[in-house]
Amino acid sequence: MKNGWYILNYHDISWEENEFIRGIGGSFSPNDFREHIALLQQNFRIMGVQDAYELFKTNTINEPIVSFWFDDGFRGNRKYALPLLENIGVSAAISVNSRFLLREELFWRFKLSYIHFNGGDRFLRSRFRKRNILINEPLKELTFTHFSSELLADIDTVYQNMTTKEIRSDAFRIFDDVDGINELKNKGWLISNHSAAHYPISENSYIHEFENQFLECDKVLETHFGIKNQFWVLPFDRNISPKVKDSQKSREQNFVHVGNKINKNNFNDNTLSRIEVSNLFGEELIHYLANIELIK
Amino acid sequence: MIPNTLNASILNLSKTTNHTIVIITGCEDRHKRFALRLQQEFKSLVIAWYEVDSSCSKKEDLNNRIERNSGKIKEQNQFEKLKKSIHKKGVRRTVKLVWLNLKNKVLKGDIKSDDSFFKEELLELEAYKQLEPIKINPSDAISLDFISEIKELNPYFLLTLGGVLHKKELLNSIRGIAINQHAGFSPDFKGSETHLWALYHRDILKVSSTVHITKSGADDGPIIRRSTPCFSPNDTVENMFNKVVVLGTELIVEIVQKIIKSKELQVFNQPKYIGKTCLSKEITKKIKGSIQRDFDNNWLNMELKRLRNF
């Protein structure tokens, strides 16, 4: 393994993958996560994000170090990942979306997944057709390409029509709440900002909301957890707009994305790269990490 | 998740601060995990754990052994049973029944869940054990003596996984609620080996866990939660079953936590004449073979990708 800081990116660690998540993916079962930990222990030094970050800042990483970073604030991280990591004496980082945390708004991709698995694609397509959106693409891709507040409203309208108040309330069960995140914070986890509602704000289609979304979430982190947040964790990390770099120059926060690269010393552009691994099982993980490149 | 296609109603449970729990399970590792996980979560609220085990002697047999020695009860062995059957049903019918019984045993093969799945976690959960299980024969688990024993314990919750179909008298005696987890998608698939039926039909969305109010019928009580596990492309049939069971246990933990806080529970009534109650004997070697061929041909990986591709 190359020396450097490998930040492994996960989403939900849970036995459950219901209709909200199934179409989007990102769930990883606790027994698979346990196996990951066992394999990583044989090949890396495992450290908490905060501790590894201190080494990274001072250019003193001279061995392969692994940390865990969980996105979207899922409850499963506290239920299942926390005890497994506590067993090996390590904390992790979790990036939360404030509107999911406060039950103000459900993740729009989860609404899309629910709509799809309940036969509601046709309702979305007919609304998109009226907006002259070409509907030949798969829905998941199409909603990225044409993302807008009108498209969001369409998805929400269909979702509201297809669900009851109880289903919508129950849907938030997969996200952790303020008490849960406080518990993680008290156990040494780093709590960070994944924007207010996980829109594709680093893409050109919605870049105008970039700072607003992160600032909204920063305010919630300060109010509920007393945190002066250091990390802005980019949602989606697909086609990053050049304007993100511009924003980065004027901000003191570190920008965290999924670059699938190893972080080396040379801390000079306040960017951290993470490695997506929840699609890798068993020894695949180690082979993949052995071939990852260093960030340049 | 709550089932979105069934009619909901609200159940108001009796208010109390005494939320004692009695657990009844089978005796495989997945049942042990169920019981230990509940003890981990609810600690001293768990006041009894019964493990239904057919290798455990019946109380009646124990009594018979005493009476046999005094010559009071004549032991009925297989030869006696055969003689009785010939007398009642005739030679031809008896031979046919014996042949069918033998054929089913040969065709059925042997599917056991992969209990090594639970080994590591069971070792960790041992630290949370509050009670040793009380072994009980299936016949005794439906006896009046057992019902009296449970009534005496007077639990608020009766939580079950595996074991037997319980009598109405037992279920009605529970102060709060009796909840069972079923490794299947009710109402469509109730009974035994339901995950195999779902896989045979290549309906991965019905490889699911249902947590419901326990009734005397198999898996047909009002549903409280129903959801699907997180599968991996390299899961075996046995792993998928184990994940279904684990998910059900986690859902029960959530439900009990919720009931302890609030006695109002939303439940979803199962339509009476919809769905299939599956029997183990219906899962033949051919059906198992079909399922295995799908797995050997990488069906699960392709299906998981297909579900995400819309």
Side-chain angles (χ1 to χ4, degrees):
Chain A
M1 296 292 167
K2 302 178 187 76
N3 291 342
W5 185 22
Y6 300 64
I7 308 175
L8 304 189
N9 179 220
Y10 296 84
H11 289 79
D12 195 12
I13 306 295
S14 179
W15 292 110
E16 184 177 5
E17 188 177 74
N18 61 31
E19 292 169 320
F20 289 96
I21 306 179
R22 190 185 304 132
I24 307 306
S27 294
F28 203 61
S29 70
N31 66 316
D32 287 324
F33 186 61
R34 188 193 285 266
E35 195 183 13
H36 268 202
I37 292 173
L39 287 166
L40 291 166
Q41 278 182 300
Q42 292 166 21
N43 292 278
F44 293 88
R45 183 177 168 200
I46 302 182
M47 288 182 80
V49 166
Q50 200 67 67
D51 295 334
Y53 180 62
E54 293 307 317
L55 291 182
F56 177 73
K57 273 196 307 186
T58 54
N59 287 345
T60 49
I61 292 185
N62 48 21
E63 59 179 322
I65 291 174
V66 132
S67 300
F68 297 95
W69 199 306
F70 301 93
D71 280 351
D72 304 350
F74 288 105
R75 187 183 294 269
N77 300 142
R78 180 169 54 90
K79 270 185 89 168
Y80 303 112
L82 172 68
L84 290 173
L85 292 175
E86 275 184 325
N87 280 351
I88 59 168
V90 154
S91 62
I94 184 166
S95 44
V96 301
N97 301 93
S98 51
R99 291 186 196 173
F100 309 164
L101 178 76
L102 299 178
R103 276 87 175 113
E104 289 170 355
E105 184 180 330
L106 188 71
F107 186 16
W108 63 280
R109 301 289 279 174
F110 285 178
K111 292 179 190 174
L112 196 65
S113 176
Y114 182 91
I115 290 167
H116 170 70
F117 283 107
N118 286 279
D121 288 5
R122 64 192 190 280
F123 303 122
L124 281 178
R125 290 191 190 281
S126 80
R127 283 176 178 269
F128 295 162
R129 210 180 284 120
K130 284 175 190 162
R131 295 192 192 284
N132 296 320
I133 294 173
L134 286 172
I135 54 169
N136 298 330
E137 277 180 279
L139 263 181
K140 275 168 75 175
E141 192 55 38
L142 183 157
T143 49
F144 268 127
T145 318
H146 299 280
F147 191 84
S148 66
S149 42
E150 290 82 16
L151 182 134
L152 265 178
D154 283 339
I155 293 171
D156 191 57
T157 303
V158 172
Y159 175 66
Q160 298 273 338
N161 289 342
M162 289 181 71
T163 52
T164 61
K165 194 178 93 177
E166 288 77 19
I167 289 172
R168 291 192 292 277
S169 170
D170 184 62
F172 283 106
R173 190 166 60 80
I174 48 182
F175 292 110
D176 216 338
D177 54 21
V178 171
D179 289 341
I181 300 297
N182 257 323
E183 186 184 330
L184 290 175
K185 181 179 160 246
N186 292 339
K187 296 208 170 185
W189 281 42
L190 175 80
I191 314 300
S192 58
N193 180 342
H194 201 28
S195 82
H198 211 303
Y199 299 150
I201 51 179
S202 44
E203 300 185 26
N204 282 326
S205 58
Y206 224 60
I207 190 71
H208 57 280
E209 282 293 313
F210 184 83
E211 298 229 340
N212 290 341
Q213 285 272 308
F214 275 117
L215 290 172
E216 180 182 327
C217 189
D218 266 348
K219 200 171 171 188
V220 168
L221 292 181
E222 196 165 7
T223 307
H224 290 277
F225 308 112
I227 290 170
K228 200 96 176 83
N229 175 55
Q230 297 174 278
F231 300 94
W232 280 8
V233 183
L234 304 189
F236 295 117
D237 196 16
R238 295 180 345 134
N239 309 311
I240 299 186
S241 165
K243 290 180 184 175
V244 170
K245 278 278 181 199
D246 294 338
S247 176
Q248 203 173 357
K249 286 173 191 162
S250 60
R251 304 226 64 96
E252 49 184 34
Q253 284 90 351
N254 300 288
F255 280 29
V256 183
H257 66 126
V258 177
N260 290 320
K261 296 245 192 290
I262 309 164
N263 301 285
K264 194 61 176 124
N265 301 315
N266 298 325
F267 178 71
N268 59 11
D269 70 345
N270 66 340
T271 300
L272 289 179
S273 175
R274 300 175 304 166
I275 304 165
E276 174 62 52
V277 292
S278 58
N279 54 343
L280 298 166
F281 300 93
E283 288 288 341
E284 278 181 335
L285 171 70
I286 301 303
H287 292 141
Y288 180 70
L289 293 177
N291 292 303
I292 288 264
E293 287 171 9
L294 287 162
I295 205 167
K296 289 199 173 88
Chain B
M1 263 209 73
I2 51 181
N4 53 0
T5 51
L6 302 177
N7 293 327
S9 57
I10 299 289
L11 195 65
N12 286 303
L13 298 170
S14 57
K15 292 197 183 349
T16 185
T17 50
N18 179 10
H19 296 105
T20 48
I21 298 170
V22 164
I23 299 170
I24 304 176
T25 65
C27 54
E28 305 288 343
D29 278 356
R30 62 187 183 276
H31 302 121
K32 287 181 169 60
R33 186 204 179 265
F34 172 85
L36 290 176
R37 184 75 185 92
L38 290 169
Q39 289 172 68
Q40 179 189 33
E41 205 61 42
F42 302 109
K43 303 180 178 49
S44 58
L45 289 183
V46 180
I47 56 172
W49 169 18
Y50 294 93
E51 238 184 33
V52 178
D53 185 351
S54 53
S55 68
C56 174
S57 301
K58 290 182 211 178
K59 275 190 185 162
E60 193 188 299
D61 278 353
L62 281 171
N63 292 337
N64 283 351
R65 247 175 250 146
I66 297 164
E67 287 177 14
R68 205 177 302 128
N69 287 341
S70 65
K72 278 185 183 170
I73 302 286
K74 199 174 165 184
E75 193 178 52
Q76 203 177 49
N77 57 22
Q78 293 285 1
F79 180 67
E80 292 291 332
K81 280 184 189 168
L82 206 60
K83 258 174 71 176
K84 206 173 174 183
S85 177
I86 291 171
H87 179 72
K88 249 182 152 175
K89 295 169 187 166
V91 172
R92 201 176 266 190
R93 192 130 183 254
T94 301
V95 167
K96 193 178 179 183
L97 283 169
V98 168
W99 165 241
L100 281 172
N101 199 27
L102 202 62
K103 194 179 160 191
N104 271 337
K105 281 183 181 169
V106 167
L107 283 176
K108 201 178 168 182
D110 206 45
I111 255 196
K112 281 195 187 305
S113 72
D114 179 12
D115 287 334
S116 65
F117 187 90
F118 299 104
K119 283 279 185 289
E120 233 176 301
E121 201 184 354
L122 280 177
L123 284 171
E124 286 166 12
L125 286 173
E126 272 294 323
Y128 300 97
K129 194 187 235 180
Q130 305 279 320
L131 313 150
E132 288 299 324
I134 302 164
K135 295 265 184 191
I136 182 169
N137 185 276
S139 309
D140 292 329
I142 53 172
S143 68
L144 290 173
D145 281 348
F146 182 68
I147 294 171
S148 301
E149 199 171 319
I150 300 297
K151 277 182 180 174
E152 228 171 292
L153 288 169
N154 197 24
Y156 190 82
F157 292 102
L158 177 68
L159 306 177
T160 56
L161 168 63
V164 297
L165 291 177
H166 296 286
K167 298 271 186 203
K168 266 186 199 171
E169 204 189 318
L170 170 65
L171 300 172
N172 292 342
S173 75
I174 305 302
R175 264 190 305 128
I177 187 168
I179 304 175
N180 181 61
Q181 71 167 90
H182 163 54
F185 187 96
S186 291
D188 299 48
F189 293 121
K190 297 176 282 225
S192 303
E193 316 270 37
T194 50
H195 65 296
L196 293 178
W197 278 116
L199 288 174
Y200 179 62
H201 290 288
R202 293 177 179 160
D203 193 347
I204 199 176
L205 301 184
K206 293 201 176 144
V207 184
S208 165
S209 197
T210 304
V211 174
H212 62 93
I213 294 175
T214 316
K215 296 288 182 193
S216 50
D219 309 316
D220 65 359
I223 294 173
I224 310 171
R225 284 264 188 282
R226 186 181 65 195
S227 195
T228 40
C230 174
F231 294 127
S232 326
N234 55 355
D235 273 336
T236 59
V237 174
E238 290 76 15
N239 274 2
M240 291 181 84
F241 174 69
N242 287 326
K243 284 181 173 180
V244 164
V245 174
V246 171
L247 172 61
T249 304
E250 298 305 311
L251 292 176
I252 282 197
V253 166
E254 278 184 30
I255 290 163
V256 170
Q257 284 170 338
K258 191 178 159 97
I259 292 172
I260 289 174
K261 284 188 188 152
S262 155
K263 298 295 179 285
E264 197 179 270
L265 188 67
Q266 187 180 41
V267 298
F268 298 83
N269 301 308
Q270 297 197 50
K272 200 170 177 183
Y273 301 108
I274 287 180
K276 173 186 167 69
T277 299
C278 310
L279 304 173
S280 298
K281 65 182 181 187
E282 291 169 340
I283 297 285
T284 60
K285 221 171 184 179
K286 279 186 179 176
I287 287 174
K288 286 183 194 172
S290 296
I291 296 168
Q292 195 53 52
R293 271 193 299 280
D294 274 351
F295 275 72
D296 293 342
N297 289 328
N298 203 29
W299 167 79
L300 179 61
N301 185 21
M302 292 190 294
E303 183 65 5
L304 291 173
K305 282 186 179 154
R306 187 190 71 78
L307 287 174
R308 293 200 181 122
N309 191 19
F310 66 93

